[in-house]
Amino acid sequence: MSLWKAALFGGVLGADLTHPVEKHASAGTIEITLGTAPFADYRIDAYGFDGAIPGPTLRMKPGEDLMVALTNSLSSTPTACSATSGSFCDSMITNFHTHGLHVSSKGVEDGADYHSDNVLAEVAPGETVTFKFSIPDNHMGGTHWYHPHHHHATALQAGGGAVGLLIVDDPPGYLPTEYSEMPEKLLVISGHNLNTLQTMARAAAAQVL
């Protein structure tokens, strides 16, 4: 242990870097749960997927269907927007929204069998709703992310930790060997203002944060 590390950390180094659990579209419907999750070592609960911040990494290939069965395990009855005085309400209602995927925004109200990237979908506490994202055959590989996007609760849930990575794999042979054979390390960096989050939680009469 170097002297500067010993001085900085009081002689104790932090834990090794860990990576989120990966779930693959090729395995079939991915079950994922929105609920509470420990917020680092602050001894408070925030929002998270599968009890963690960040949530699992969802990996898919061009041409696959990403099927996500989202369960809302938040226990409190949502406080309706008519009962709050500001913009924050419905804090216990959720859904599933992606950034970076070129997919449909339609839902069951449009005649689809499942919601796709429909920000108007609602998953109430205790409910499980399945979302289907059909990845085009020519979709570019890339690193993207997902989070809840129920209006009036997005900032509280996503800002409170409910986020995760989406990986669209490059087709075999697409990248030069020097890149395709490099070890892959996934790192999620997020910023959270606990004062702002708690202000929003109080305004929404939320039971989390």
Side-chain angles (χ1 to χ4, degrees), residues 40-199:
D41 57 355
Y42 282 80
R43 298 182 182 179
I44 61 171
D45 282 339
Y47 295 88
F49 288 106
D50 289 354
I53 301 174
T57 295
L58 308 186
R59 188 179 286 273
M60 68 219 73
K61 295 178 173 60
E64 290 186 330
D65 288 333
L66 172 65
M67 303 286 293
V68 177
L70 174 65
T71 297
N72 182 348
S73 70
L74 297 171
S75 58
S76 299
T77 301
T79 301
C81 295
S82 59
T84 62
S85 58
S87 300
F88 306 108
C89 51
D90 277 353
S91 62
M92 299 302 175
I93 297 177
T94 195
N95 57 26
F96 195 91
H97 174 56
T98 72
H99 281 256
L101 297 186
H102 294 263
V103 294
S104 170
S105 62
K106 292 184 177 181
V108 295
E109 63 271 21
D110 301 304
D113 293 332
Y114 303 95
H115 289 294
S116 186
D117 204 340
N118 177 16
V119 297
L120 300 180
E122 294 187 0
V123 185
E127 289 185 344
T128 298
V129 174
T130 299
F131 293 76
K132 179 181 180 180
F133 305 89
S134 296
I135 312 302
D137 292 336
N138 62 348
H139 199 292
M140 175 72 81
T143 303
H144 313 294
W145 67 298
Y146 65 88
H147 65 84
H149 203 301
H150 177 65
H151 293 164
H152 299 285
T154 305
L156 193 55
Q157 293 179 7
V163 300
L165 289 178
L166 296 166
I167 305 293
V168 180
D169 288 325
D170 293 297
Y174 180 79
L175 294 176
T177 303
E178 293 82 358
Y179 297 126
S180 63
E181 293 184 353
M182 291 175 64
E184 183 180 72
K185 303 292 184 182
L186 303 178
L187 181 64
V188 178
I189 300 175
S190 57
H192 307 271
N193 187 317
L194 292 180
N195 289 330
T196 300
L197 287 168
Q198 290 181 334
T199 298

